[in-house]
Amino acid sequence: MKALLAAMLTVLLTACASKIVSYTPVPAPANPLAVIEQVLSEQPQKYRPEGVRATDTYVEFGDGVIAQQSMWNPGKAKSKQTTTRLYYASIAENRLRERGRWWIVQSLNKQGSLLASAWTDDKDAALRYIAALEAMRERAGAGVN
């Protein structure tokens, strides 16, 4: 019984995990900012940001500002910024992961920390997104604006 339970747990955990996928880079898109905005805006509802703003040095996306009111002191409210700002120059590596039917692009810094993720159900869109991020990273590194 324990062996069966352990086997079922292993299968369940393996099915939920994502795996890193090797890929062949695609050419940079003509308008990388448009590709970045499109992929981030078309993520599944669970991950889709309320707004996306791509510039020459960073892309900012998220849900804006949320306000929280204290249950103990209703007159005192706190606000919290819930956006992510991904600077292209901070990206050391973009990884492509596969999880079921989803493709996840993870941008990491040189220390290996996760800076941002983007989800799509289209592998070609994920590859174009990586190419767009790489193109913007090269421009940011060269000081081209």
Side-chain angles (χ1 to χ4, degrees):
M1 183 68 172
K2 284 185 179 182
L4 179 62
L5 183 59
M8 287 174 35
L9 186 59
T10 301
V11 169
L12 179 65
L13 290 175
T14 305
C16 293
S18 63
K19 63 180 179 180
I20 296 175
V21 178
S22 61
Y23 62 92
T24 302
V26 298
N31 187 348
L33 295 178
V35 171
I36 291 168
E37 284 188 21
Q38 180 180 0
V39 170
L40 289 172
S41 297
E42 292 178 345
Q43 293 184 90
Q45 187 64 40
K46 180 178 179 179
Y47 303 108
R48 185 176 307 146
E50 188 176 297
V52 178
R53 182 172 159 247
T55 71
D56 289 335
T57 54
Y58 64 85
V59 59
E60 185 173 60
F61 56 97
D63 296 328
V65 177
I66 59 170
Q68 295 177 329
Q69 200 166 20
S70 170
M71 188 167 84
W72 306 109
N73 187 356
K76 184 178 181 184
K78 294 189 267 182
S79 63
K80 179 181 179 183
Q81 188 78 16
T82 61
T83 57
T84 299
R85 185 176 282 189
L86 175 61
Y87 286 91
Y88 310 122
S90 297
I91 300 171
E93 177 187 4
N94 288 299
R95 281 191 191 149
L96 180 62
R97 299 184 76 92
E98 181 181 15
R99 182 172 183 183
R101 72 182 189 104
W102 296 102
W103 299 93
I104 308 158
V105 177
Q106 295 179 321
S107 298
L108 300 119
N109 66 14
K110 65 182 178 181
Q111 291 80 19
S113 298
L114 180 65
L115 298 171
S117 295
W119 291 65
T120 180
D121 58 358
D122 181 354
K123 184 178 182 181
D124 292 334
L127 294 174
R128 285 192 312 274
Y129 178 71
I130 291 171
L133 288 175
E134 296 290 335
M136 295 309 297
R137 179 176 72 169
E138 288 175 17
R139 287 183 192 177
V144 177
N145 288 327

